[in-house]
Each structure stands twice: as structure tokens, then as C-alpha cells.
């Protein structure tokens, strides 16, 4: 009997309407379009501004489009994994809210929190459920309302992040396509360099934590930058080596969209030309777990059946990794 593998059979996405430009950010903090474009490479990011709407709103829009494009019936969905660090609530899970909104009756669902590497972790997790033979349709979502944890008085972080969601359908195949390999890593030494100080179980919310902006992202950018470049390029190289892939064999690199200079440094180390690198950071900024599926969504019409894709991400934890996948269909669904 042939082994079962998991293949992506469609993608869906959603970006909120409101565009926060560098010029508008320059009115909030002491910065310029020139600095942001030169040091980060972001021109604009989209923000979910409407009161009462959270991450599940964007996840639902992305998943609905995915279900339409893959002609999936709600009753067929077995599992939903939502990679997010900005859930609607502490409890219940955002994925449970998504099940309700999508009318899924036969699925189980959970959230997965691995910050910017969330989609990579969720993809490999979902693939293993498919490989077990017991699951036929799995929705893997990366969705974030990063604007809810960004301090818009801090010029070192507020230009970086944006909101958005995208989703991929995983289904079984016995052909030579799909998630071929994954190398995922976690090292908790990253805590001091990238974290949110309050609101968890160590430091409960209080007037003090609110007054001192302790519910927002704190990062030491230079240190994160250095680890991101080294770890993303090293895991990509390891995955290429153990799958006997030369740089010519790679059709597309899909890097986490955190900083254009990080993307350039990683792809230069891999010696892959820029035409083979998916980049949309200029328009969306860093949407954390949503960056990778948003790239697939944006570039879907350029993808061909059999293309070799290398996805890589790095983020808080530190958590990082690379996934090698063989694309399963031609063009846009
Ligand atoms: C955050 C980041 C863009 C900062 O760029 P950098 O070149 O490392 O800049 P530094 O933090 O060293 O700061 C350099 C100077 O620019 C200033 N600066 C920071 N943000 C600024 C802004 N928006 N506008 C103008 N100046 C700014 C700093 O205050 C500092 O000034 P100083 O030298 O007078 O102290 C960059 O480090 C980065 O992208 N790191 C990785 C972040 C990341 O990927 N995080 C998410 C993980 S997935």
C-alpha cells in the first residue's frame, strides 16, 4: 500500500480594509517613511479597526473563501487548527468560534501558539493527522490581529506589524506531492528579547501594567534580527541537504515577512535569486502567523503543480523552522 501524504489543495485569505500608511505612523511617533522603508521595508499595513471584531472575524473570511475555492462542504471538515497569538479571548479557543461561524458539525478544533512560526508548526501538525489516515480535510489557518498588542507610542515596534488571515486546506494524496519534510525547532532562550510582559499568569493585569504599557510587544530588535537570519538560513540549508535539493531545484522560497533586510540576508545565504522569493511585506507588514499563508494566497496564480517550495519562519520563543513542500495544483483555484 502506498503511503498517505498531506497536500495543500487550496488557499483563502483576508486582509482588513483600513490601510495604515507610513505617513500616518509618522504622525503618531517620531519616524519617517524613509526610515521605515530603509530599515524594515514596509510601506503600509492593514488594520482591523471595527469595534468588537477580533481575529476570528478575519479567520472566518479566509476559511470561507478557502471552502468555496476547494468546494468543501462544512460537514466534510475533520479538523481546524488556528495558529494565532492574538486570540479573540483567553478562553474559549478562537478555533471553536470559527467552527461555529463556519457551521462545522463534524470537526474538532484547537489553537496553536508558536507566534510567527505558528503556521509552519500548524502545517506539520495537520499533515501528521492526514498521514494517520483518519482525517480527510483539515483547515489550517494563520490569523492575527497584531494591532491589538502593538504600542502605537513605541516607534521601535509600531511600524512593523499588521493584521490579516489566510488558510490552507490539507487533504490526503498517494502521489508524490505535499508536505515532504519539516524541521521545526524551539529554544526558550529568546524570552528576554521578544515578549509581552503582562497579562499572562506570571504578571497579572493591573492598573500598574496598563499604565506602563506592559500588554504590548517588547523586543530587542537587533538580537532578534541576528537569530532570525542565522536560524532561518541554517534550517533551510539542512532541509535542502537532507532532501538532496540544490538551489536550482527550489522554485520558491517563502520566508516569514518580518523585515525586508532579514528576507534578503536569508535568501542571499541560500544563494536563491530574488525572482524566486515571495515578498509582500511592503503591503501587509508582519502579520505573524499569517505571513506565510498570505504569501501563498497572493502568489497562488504563479504556482505550478510539482513546484518545490521552501517555507521558513522565525519568531518569539525562539521558535523557528523550515518546511519543504511540493505544490499540488496549477494556478489559482
Ligand atoms: C526592529 C528593527 C527594524 C530595528 O532596526 P535596527 O536597524 O536594528 O535599529 P535599532 O533597534 O538598532 O535602532 C537604531 C536606531 O534607530 C532608532 N529607531 C528605532 N525605530 C525607529 C523608527 N521607527 N524611526 C526612526 N528611528 C528609529 C533607534 O531609536 C536607534 O536610535 P539610536 O541609535 O539613537 O539609539 C530591526 O532590528 C528588526 O527588524 N529586527 C527584527 C524584528 C523582528 O523580526 N521581529 C519580529 C520577530 S518575528
Amino acid at each position: 500500500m502506498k503511503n498517505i501524504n498531506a497536500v495543500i489543495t487550496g488557499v483563502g485569505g483576508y486582509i482588513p480594509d483600513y490601510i495604515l500608511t507610513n505617513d500616518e505612523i509618522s504622525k503618531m511617533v517620531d519616524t519617517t517613511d524613509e526610515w521605515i522603508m530603509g530599515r524594515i521595508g514596509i510601506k503600509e499595513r492593514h488594520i482591523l479597526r471595527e469595534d468588537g471584531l477580533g481575529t476570528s472575524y478575519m479567520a472566518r473570511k479566509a476559511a470561507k473563501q478557502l471552502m468555496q475555492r476547494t468546494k468543501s462542504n462544512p460537514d466534510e471538515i475533520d479538523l481546524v487548527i488556528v495558529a494565532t497569538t492574538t486570540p479573540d479571548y483567553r478562553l474559549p479557543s478562537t478555533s471553536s468560534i470559527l467552527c461555529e461561524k463556519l457551521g462545522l458539525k463534524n470537526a474538532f478544533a484547537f489553537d496553536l501558539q508558536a507566534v510567527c512560526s505558528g503556521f509552519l508548526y500548524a502545517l506539520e501538525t495537520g499533515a501528521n493527522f492526514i498521514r494517520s489516515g483518519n482525517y480527510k480535510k483539515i483547515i489550517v489557518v494563520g490569523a492575527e490581529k497584531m494591532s491589538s498588542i502593538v504600542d502605537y507610542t513605541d516607534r521601535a515596534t509600531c511600524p512593523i506589524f499588521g493584521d490579516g488571515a489566510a488558510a490552507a486546506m490539507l487533504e490526503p494524496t498517494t502521489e508524490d506531492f505535499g508536505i515532504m519534510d519539516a524541521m521545526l525547532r524551539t529554544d526558550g532562550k529568546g524570552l528576554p528579547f521578544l515578549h509581552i510582559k503582562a497579562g499572562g499568569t506570571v504578571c497579572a493585569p493591573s492598573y500598574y501594567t496598563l499604565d506602563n504599557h506592559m500588554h504590548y510587544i517588547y523586543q530587542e530588535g537587533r538580537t532578534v534580527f541576528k537569530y532570525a537570519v542565522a536560524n532561518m538560513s541554517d534550517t533551510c540549508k539542512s532541509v535542502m541537504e537532507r532532501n538532496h535539493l540544490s538551489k536550482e531545484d527550489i522554485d520558491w522560497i517563502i520566508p516569514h515577512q518580518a523585515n525586508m533586510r532579514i528576507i534578503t540576508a536569508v535568501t542571499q545565504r541560500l544563494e536563491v535569486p530574488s525572482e524566486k522569493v515571495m515578498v509582500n511585506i511592503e503591503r501587509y507588514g508582519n502579520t505573524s502567523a499569517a505571513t506565510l499563508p498570505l504569501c501563498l494566497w497572493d502568489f497562488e496564480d504563479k504556482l505550478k503543480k510539482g513546484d518545490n517550495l521552501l517555507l521558513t519562519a522565525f519568531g518569539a520563543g525562539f521558535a523557528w523552522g523550515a518546511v519543504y513542500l511540493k505544490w499540488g495544483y496549477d494556478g489559482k483555484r
Side-chain angles (χ1 to χ4, degrees):
M1 204 178 87
K2 280 195 148 188
N3 282 343
I4 300 169
N5 197 10
V7 66
I8 292 179
T9 56
V11 289
Y14 176 77
I15 282 292
D17 294 334
Y18 187 78
I19 297 174
L20 178 59
T21 62
N22 287 348
D23 288 339
E24 198 175 341
I25 290 196
S26 306
K27 291 182 189 124
M28 300 164 157
V29 290
D30 181 14
T31 191
T32 59
D33 174 57
E34 195 186 1
W35 193 95
I36 300 170
M37 278 306 285
R39 303 305 293 165
I40 319 178
I42 298 170
K43 192 87 195 152
E44 57 195 35
R45 64 293 290 144
H46 291 244
I47 304 293
L48 184 66
R49 289 217 304 188
E50 291 77 4
D51 282 346
L53 296 184
T55 295
S56 73
Y57 174 80
M58 296 182 285
R60 179 200 345 164
K61 295 262 189 192
K64 274 215 157 143
Q65 186 183 68
L66 174 71
M67 289 175 66
Q68 277 160 7
R69 288 182 173 189
T70 55
K71 301 185 172 48
S72 299
N73 180 312
D75 293 343
E76 294 173 320
I77 307 298
D78 300 308
L79 168 60
V80 179
I81 308 175
V82 177
T84 189
T85 304
T86 49
D88 283 14
Y89 302 98
R90 283 290 292 274
L91 65 95
S93 67
T94 300
S95 57
S96 64
I97 297 165
L98 192 56
C99 281
E100 162 69 13
K101 302 277 191 227
L102 295 173
L104 309 187
K105 297 282 180 277
N106 299 316
F108 85 106
F110 58 90
D111 290 1
L112 187 153
Q113 206 266 48
V115 204
C116 298
S117 293
F119 186 76
L120 277 192
Y121 281 36
L123 200 59
E124 172 66 352
T125 304
N128 280 312
F129 277 98
I130 295 279
R131 290 175 192 131
S132 75
N134 295 328
Y135 300 85
K136 303 282 180 267
K137 273 189 188 256
I138 298 180
I139 296 177
V140 180
V141 186
E144 304 281 11
K145 187 176 170 180
M146 296 305 284
S147 59
S148 66
I149 53 170
V150 166
D151 182 351
Y152 287 98
T153 65
D154 175 15
R155 70 174 182 172
T157 52
C158 77
I160 299 176
F161 298 97
D163 301 339
M169 188 71 77
L170 284 178
E171 296 188 55
T173 180
T174 51
E175 290 186 288
D176 192 23
F177 298 108
I179 320 296
M180 311 304 281
D181 195 13
M183 185 179 279
L184 305 174
R185 295 289 183 268
T186 311
D187 183 343
K189 75 174 171 217
L191 172 64
F193 310 114
L194 185 48
H195 58 261
I196 294 176
K197 295 185 189 307
T201 52
V202 168
C203 183
S206 66
Y207 291 116
Y208 178 85
T209 63
L210 282 173
D211 289 346
N212 287 281
H213 296 216
M214 290 165 70
H215 295 268
Y216 298 124
I217 297 170
Y218 167 85
Q219 75 167 342
E220 291 181 22
R222 269 189 209 181
T223 309
V224 176
F225 191 105
K226 197 179 71 184
Y227 279 104
V229 172
N231 287 312
M232 285 202 282
S233 32
D234 286 354
T235 40
C236 283
K237 280 183 190 164
S238 301
V239 167
M240 285 167 70
E241 262 165 39
R242 73 183 189 190
N243 290 279
H244 312 292
L245 294 167
S246 70
K247 55 182 193 280
E248 289 78 22
D249 294 326
I250 300 294
D251 295 293
W252 290 99
I253 299 271
I254 301 119
H256 173 49
Q257 312 281 306
N259 183 313
M260 193 56 218
R261 289 185 297 131
I262 295 178
I263 295 172
T264 305
V266 170
T267 49
Q268 277 175 354
R269 284 184 183 202
L270 299 174
E271 297 177 41
V272 172
S274 58
E275 313 85 73
K276 290 185 171 187
V277 185
M278 290 191 191
V279 177
N280 57 16
I281 187 172
E282 189 171 317
R283 288 183 292 133
Y284 301 152
N286 181 350
T287 55
S288 197
T291 63
L292 298 181
L294 279 173
C295 278
L296 294 175
W297 183 58
D298 267 358
F299 284 78
E300 188 188 20
D301 56 348
K302 294 192 165 50
L303 294 171
K304 292 193 290 299
K305 192 169 181 174
D307 276 357
N308 287 320
L309 275 56
L310 198 53
L311 293 82
T312 184
F314 180 90
F318 295 129
W320 71 99
V323 165
Y324 160 42
L325 68 85
K326 242 185 204 308
W327 196 247
Y329 58 94
D330 289 321
K332 222 182 187 79
R333 272 276 137 98

